């Protein structure tokens, strides 16, 4: 149990003992014995052969030993040792045993040395007592022989230890622990600062996750009624909605061991590694039960089996998945081990993984609504230095429809950077509005070179969008239009649409007509069209296709849908309808778009003078707002009830660009304008 574990922490200041110090000490001992063994510490004084001949002629030499025919050791008589000239030799020999030589020297040529000694013996009537001996340093020879092998083995051990600790990195790392789990363990000894207080919004998801944590803390509360611990919970939702953050909060709140890893941590270049790591992971979790396992991006190993496996090379991932299925709910059931997984691709997961008994709960983490965005803003605004009474979270939440939690965090950070760039001491409302513009549309490029003709075309294009959207009942009213280049866009428009949970055909048709207003304006004013409506056409085509093939809103095709919620249709090479139906679908999509295009042309032709007036104002000011449209067109003819749920939403627009696509003729202009979220300035 986790409670039984020691709470002792290692002192970071205390140096760790390494086994390599032992290896180094052994090597030093060998080297010391080799260099200082034998007579190393009692080494006699060095003299020259001429000094030896002088001492021999004076009768000071008692005995001479020739070692290995190279070195001569000289022993003095007791009388000679009393002489002052020989006193320094005896003084240095502090480890002398009394029988150690007094001097030594290299003899050079043995034959010449013997001849010189014989001559001196005859001339001075002395005896050198010359003897010859052979000595061998067996320890040194053994050391020299074994040293290369010792070095090779030592280097190999060092490299293997580094690899086993992950120091080598990559696929070669952890060569000895290749089948071990890479999960990070968080327990009561680990300081995890994230808690449920840091998770704003996501009330439904937090409630379900908190229940799991509570079950682990107080299992008897549920088991007393006959309930069983859930096996797992799957967090599903778009990127940036807070799935991983929710898991971090669980790790901070739960007082049980928490194993965290990614789905890609199971994947390795070696066969069988993934399944081995799954077994090891659940083994560790079971040893520390009750515990929680969190697998982020589980779609890396949980993809549906048998799909897109044309070469048969994907068996390793399937083996890993099979082992995971067995561990979660098989004969070897792991009790008190809960698996929490997160993915934004739930449609590609294997159905066996999704069933009850493995992932009992599927928690959908959706994009935040108005109230949730307000709560998220309150969390991210706390660390910022704000202008007093200027930032209203309700207003900021309305300015960021469709933003995820990660996007809102990015907005707050970008606002702080913009304020710092301006030299402000605090972050204000305008900084946040500029931050939303910056994130959605990109940085303004006021120095971009645009010819007068292009600028005029952009102005009429954007004015066409504004006019059509203002004149249609279900189209979103315009708030702001600019022809200042921003990012890859040469113009942008911001709208304030009402929030809808269901959309009717007339609403979709009005939106399509407004999107085609830019190209229609070019046709009405210049009697020419350009590549400037690329993104508009893309948006409209997708909308028309959805009406016909997904939502069943076309009379000719009927109440049919070819939408596959399982997400497996991408693996099919055949269409789910016949060639005749395909022709009908193409025809109906074309008719829908063309009818709305003609409708836009008719509206703009009727209001050509007002369109021209609006475009001239836009050319003059570069930015126009809702008030300018009211001055020209008057109040909108459609009285709508304003709701507190009305939010500013992004609208994709188009304006001419100076880049040439590969399929466009030379000199033609192509544009792909990205839309921007509405900013009510």
């Amino acid at each position: 149990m986790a409670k039984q574990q020691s709470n002792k922490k290692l002192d970071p200041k205390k140096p760790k003992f390494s086994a390599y110090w032992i290896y180094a000490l052994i090597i030093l001992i060998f080297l010391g014995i080799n260099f200082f063994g034998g007579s190393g510490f009692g080494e006699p004084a060095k003299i020259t052969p001429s000094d030896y001949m002088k001492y021999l002629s004076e009768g000071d030499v008692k005995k001479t030993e020739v070692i290995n025919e190279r070195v001569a050791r000289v022993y003095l008589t007791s009388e000679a040792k009393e002489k002052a000239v020989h006193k320094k030799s005896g003084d240095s020999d502090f480890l002398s045993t009394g029988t150690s030589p007094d001097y030594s020297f290299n003899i050079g040529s043995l034959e010449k040395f013997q001849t010189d000694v014989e001559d001196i013996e005859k001339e001075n009537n002395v005896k050198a007592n010359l003897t010859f001996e052979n000595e061998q340093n067996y320890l040194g020879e053994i050391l020299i022989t074994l040293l290369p092998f010792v070095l090779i083995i030592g280097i190999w051990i060092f490299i293997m230890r580094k690899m086993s600790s992950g120091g080598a990195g990559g696929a070669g790392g952890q060569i000895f622990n290749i089948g071990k789990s890479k999960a990070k363990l968080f327990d009561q000894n680990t300081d995890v600062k994230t808690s449920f207080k840091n998770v704003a919004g996501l009330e439904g998801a937090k409630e379900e996750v908190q229940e799991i944590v509570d079950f682990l803390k107080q299992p008897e509360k549920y088991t007393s009624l006959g309930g069983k611990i859930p096996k797992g919970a799957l967090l599903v939702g778009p990127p940036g909605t807070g799935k991983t953050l929710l898991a971090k909060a669980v790790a901070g709140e739960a007082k049980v061991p928490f194993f965290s890893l990614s789905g890609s941590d199971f994947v390795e270049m070696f066969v069988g590694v993934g399944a081995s790591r799954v077994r090891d992971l659940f083994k560790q979790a079971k040893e520390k039960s009750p515990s929680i396992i969190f697998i982020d991006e589980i779609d890396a190993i949980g993809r549906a089996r048998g799909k897109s496996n044309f070469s048969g090379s994907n068996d390793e991932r399937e083996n890993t998945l099979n082992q995971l299925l067995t561990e979660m709910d098989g004969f070897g059931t792991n009790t008190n081990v809960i698996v929490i997984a997160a993915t934004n691709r739930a449609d590609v997961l294997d159905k066996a993984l999704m069933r009850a008994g493995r992932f009992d709960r599927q928690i959908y983490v959706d994009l935040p609504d108005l109230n949730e965005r307000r709560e998220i803003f309150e969390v991210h605004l706390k660390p910022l230095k704000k202008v007093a009474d200027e930032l209203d979270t309700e207003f900021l939440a309305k300015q960021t429809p469709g933003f995820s939690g990660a996007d809102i965090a990015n907005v707050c950070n970008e606002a702080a950077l913009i304020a710092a760039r301006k030299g402000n001491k605090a972050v204000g409302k305008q900084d946040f509005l500029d931050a939303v513009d910056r994130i959605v549309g990109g940085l303004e490029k006021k120095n971009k070179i645009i010819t007068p003709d292009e600028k005029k075309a952009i102005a009429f294009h954007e004015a066409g969008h504004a006019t059509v959207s203002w004149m249609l009942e279900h189209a979103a009213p315009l708030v702001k239009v600019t022809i200042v280049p921003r990012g890859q866009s040469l113009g942008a428009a911001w709208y304030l649409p009402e929030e809808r949970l269901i959309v009717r055909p007339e609403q979709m048709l009005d939106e399509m007509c407004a999107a085609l207003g830019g190209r229609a304006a070019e046709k009405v004013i210049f009697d020419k069209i350009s590549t400037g409506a690329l993104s508009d056409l893309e948006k409209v085509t997708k909308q028309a296709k959805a009406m016909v093939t997904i939502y069943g809103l076309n009379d000719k095709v009927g109440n049919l849908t070819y939408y596959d919620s399982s997400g497996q249709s991408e693996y099919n090479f055949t269409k789910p309808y016949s060639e005749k139906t395909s022709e009908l679908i193409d025809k109906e999509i074309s008719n829908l778009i063309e009818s709305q295009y003609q409708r836009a042309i008719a509206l703009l032709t009727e209001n050509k003078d007002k369109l021209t007036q609006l475009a001239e104002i836009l050319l003059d000011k570069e930015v126009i707002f809702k008030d300018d449209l009211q001055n020209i067109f008057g109040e909108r003819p459609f009285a709508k009830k304003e709701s507190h749920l009305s939010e500013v939403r992004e609208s994709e627009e188009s304006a001419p660009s100076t880049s040439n696509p590969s399929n466009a003729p030379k000199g033609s202009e192509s544009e792909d304008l990205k839309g921007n979220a509405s900013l009510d300035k």
Side-chain angles (χ1 to χ4, degrees):
M1 300 290 287
K3 296 181 180 179
Q4 298 175 347
Q5 294 182 12
S6 175
N7 294 327
K8 295 181 180 179
K9 294 184 178 180
L10 294 174
D11 187 3
K13 297 181 180 180
K14 187 177 180 181
K16 294 183 178 179
F17 179 76
S18 176
Y20 294 108
W21 288 108
I22 298 176
Y23 304 150
L25 183 62
I26 293 173
I27 293 174
L28 288 175
I29 291 172
F30 272 106
L31 292 175
I33 293 173
N34 183 48
F35 290 117
F36 300 107
S39 59
F41 292 103
E43 187 72 23
K46 296 288 184 180
I47 59 174
T48 62
S50 58
D51 292 334
Y52 170 74
M53 299 301 174
K54 178 183 175 184
Y55 299 152
L56 179 60
S57 61
E58 293 175 353
D60 294 341
V61 178
K62 178 181 178 182
K63 182 175 67 172
T64 305
E65 293 180 350
V66 179
I67 308 299
N68 299 331
E69 300 182 355
R70 293 186 296 107
V71 179
R73 295 175 182 173
V74 183
Y75 296 83
L76 301 179
T77 62
S78 54
E79 295 82 5
K81 291 180 180 180
E82 299 298 327
K83 295 181 179 179
V85 69
H86 302 301
K87 282 288 184 181
K88 59 181 181 180
S89 165
D91 294 342
S92 63
D93 194 6
F94 66 96
L95 291 177
S96 176
T97 61
T99 58
S100 59
D102 298 285
Y103 298 108
S104 68
F105 62 94
N106 294 324
I107 60 177
S109 174
L110 180 60
E111 294 180 0
K112 186 177 184 300
F113 173 72
Q114 288 180 299
T115 304
D116 294 341
V117 169
E118 290 175 357
D119 292 343
I120 292 176
E121 285 179 335
K122 290 178 181 179
E123 291 176 3
N124 297 281
N125 194 21
V126 294
K127 290 289 184 181
N129 296 323
L130 199 63
T131 59
F132 298 88
E133 295 182 7
N134 290 322
E135 289 186 0
Q136 290 184 348
N137 188 356
Y138 296 101
L139 187 60
E141 293 180 2
I142 293 173
L143 182 62
I144 293 173
T145 306
L146 296 179
L147 188 61
F149 298 99
V150 172
L151 290 175
I152 292 172
I153 294 172
I155 294 171
W156 183 82
I157 293 174
F158 176 78
I159 294 174
M160 291 299 104
R161 295 228 5 194
K162 283 291 185 182
M163 293 177 69
S164 64
S165 62
Q174 302 188 353
I175 193 70
F176 295 115
N177 298 324
I178 194 71
K180 300 291 183 181
S181 171
K182 294 183 177 181
K184 295 180 181 178
L185 174 61
F186 300 92
D187 52 18
Q188 63 266 29
N189 298 327
T190 308
D191 187 17
V192 181
K193 298 181 180 179
T194 307
S195 64
F196 286 125
K197 296 179 181 179
N198 304 111
V199 183
L202 309 178
E203 294 302 327
K206 278 199 297 185
E207 185 178 348
E208 294 213 41
V209 174
Q210 277 180 315
E211 186 178 330
I212 294 175
V213 175
D214 188 51
F215 192 103
L216 292 172
K217 289 182 179 179
Q218 307 174 18
E220 64 278 356
K221 178 181 176 182
Y222 301 90
T223 55
S224 62
L225 301 177
K228 295 182 180 179
I229 187 170
K231 295 291 182 61
L234 183 63
L235 302 175
V236 182
T241 51
K243 300 184 295 295
T244 306
L245 179 65
L246 199 59
K248 287 182 180 178
V250 174
E253 293 282 345
K255 302 302 180 184
V256 297
F258 186 93
F259 296 87
S260 175
L261 76 167
S262 171
S264 60
D265 289 336
F266 295 104
V267 183
E268 194 64 80
M269 64 179 291
F270 304 109
V271 177
V273 168
S276 176
R277 286 178 179 173
V278 171
R279 288 191 295 269
D280 186 68
L281 171 63
F282 279 85
K283 179 183 176 184
Q284 294 181 38
K286 193 173 181 179
E287 290 173 353
K288 296 181 179 292
S289 65
S291 58
I292 298 176
I293 295 174
F294 174 65
I295 305 175
D296 202 4
E297 307 296 344
I298 196 174
D299 52 278
I301 60 168
R303 287 180 176 269
R305 292 165 292 179
K307 305 294 185 181
S308 67
N309 187 14
F310 306 112
S311 61
S313 60
N314 205 25
D315 291 336
E316 175 63 15
R317 182 176 291 156
E318 292 190 2
N319 292 338
T320 305
L321 175 58
N322 291 340
Q323 187 65 45
L324 180 62
L325 297 176
T326 304
E327 293 289 347
M328 289 189 68
D329 188 19
F331 281 101
T333 303
N334 294 277
T335 56
N336 295 334
V337 176
I338 295 179
V339 181
I340 301 177
T343 181
N344 54 9
R345 296 292 310 279
D347 54 316
V348 302
L349 294 180
D350 196 276
K351 291 182 179 179
L353 189 64
M354 303 279 287
R355 75 160 176 85
R358 291 195 172 101
F359 285 113
D360 302 284
R361 299 181 179 181
Q362 294 184 29
I363 306 170
Y364 191 74
V365 186
D366 203 355
L367 290 171
D369 57 18
L370 179 63
N371 294 326
E372 290 176 336
R373 291 200 298 274
R374 185 175 63 249
E375 294 176 7
I376 295 172
F377 265 112
E378 289 174 357
V379 171
H380 292 294
L381 286 176
K382 284 182 181 178
L384 297 184
K385 188 181 290 184
K386 302 174 288 292
V387 177
D389 302 328
E390 188 171 326
L391 292 178
D392 181 16
T393 54
E394 183 80 21
F395 171 77
L396 295 175
K398 289 182 178 181
Q399 304 304 305
T400 53
F403 278 42
S404 65
D407 294 331
I408 293 174
N410 192 22
V411 167
C412 295
N413 184 64
E414 192 68 34
L417 297 179
I418 290 173
R421 197 180 300 127
K422 294 178 181 178
N424 300 336
K425 300 297 182 181
V427 185
K429 178 179 178 181
Q430 188 59 46
D431 298 323
F432 273 90
L433 298 178
D434 293 340
V436 175
D437 280 357
R438 172 72 176 86
I439 291 172
V440 177
L443 190 65
E444 285 190 352
K445 300 179 181 178
K446 295 184 179 181
N447 57 349
K448 195 167 188 175
I449 301 174
I450 302 176
T451 63
D453 290 341
E454 290 174 340
K455 193 173 183 180
K456 187 177 180 182
I458 297 171
F460 275 99
H461 185 105
E462 297 301 332
H465 286 302
T467 303
V468 175
S469 63
W470 192 266
M471 302 302 295
L472 295 178
E473 180 180 0
H474 301 291
L478 183 134
V479 175
K480 169 187 170 184
V481 178
T482 178
I483 58 173
V484 177
R486 183 182 290 274
Q488 295 182 350
S489 310
L490 297 183
W494 285 259
Y495 297 91
L496 183 65
E498 62 177 327
E499 186 169 306
R500 308 181 184 121
L501 297 178
I502 60 172
V503 184
R504 304 189 182 280
E506 57 269 19
Q507 295 169 339
M508 297 183 73
L509 292 175
D510 283 359
E511 290 177 1
M512 290 170 60
C513 185
L516 292 169
R519 168 160 284 193
E522 294 181 39
K523 180 68 176 177
V524 171
I525 300 299
F526 306 109
D527 197 26
K528 298 178 183 177
I529 59 175
S530 69
T531 58
L534 174 59
S535 62
D536 295 330
L537 297 178
E538 181 185 6
K539 174 187 174 183
V540 169
T541 303
K542 288 181 178 179
Q543 248 180 329
K545 187 176 180 181
M547 290 181 66
V548 176
T549 62
I550 296 178
Y551 299 115
L553 300 178
N554 185 263
D555 295 332
K556 296 287 183 65
V557 177
N559 297 319
L560 297 175
T561 182
Y562 301 103
Y563 175 69
D564 183 11
S565 60
S566 66
Q568 304 300 327
S569 58
E570 60 186 74
Y571 302 113
N572 298 330
F573 294 102
T574 58
K575 296 180 180 178
Y577 41 77
S578 64
E579 288 296 329
K580 186 177 180 180
T581 306
S582 178
E583 292 177 4
L584 178 62
I585 290 173
D586 292 340
K587 185 178 179 181
E588 289 302 311
I589 292 174
S590 179
N591 290 340
L592 278 174
I593 296 173
E594 194 60 30
S595 62
Q596 296 307 312
Y597 179 59
Q598 296 300 327
R599 182 186 176 194
I601 289 178
L603 277 173
L604 293 175
T605 303
E606 185 180 348
N607 299 275
K608 187 175 180 180
D609 53 340
K610 295 179 180 179
L611 170 67
T612 305
Q613 187 180 350
L614 185 63
E616 289 175 352
I617 296 175
L618 191 57
L619 282 169
D620 182 38
K621 296 183 178 180
E622 290 190 335
V623 179
I624 59 175
F625 298 92
K626 181 180 179 180
D627 297 338
D628 298 297
L629 271 78
Q630 288 181 337
N631 295 334
I632 297 174
F633 296 96
E635 292 290 334
R636 289 194 79 196
F638 315 102
K640 289 194 175 183
K641 297 180 181 179
E642 295 198 0
S643 172
H644 71 283
L645 293 176
S646 297
E647 298 178 19
V648 182
R649 285 194 171 178
E650 177 183 350
S651 173
E652 295 187 358
E653 294 297 324
S654 301
S657 164
T658 56
S659 61
N660 294 324
S662 58
N663 58 350
K666 188 176 181 181
S668 66
E669 296 171 352
S670 170
E671 58 88 2
D672 186 3
L673 176 69
K674 296 182 178 179
N676 295 282
S678 303
L679 294 178
D680 194 2
K681 298 183 178 180

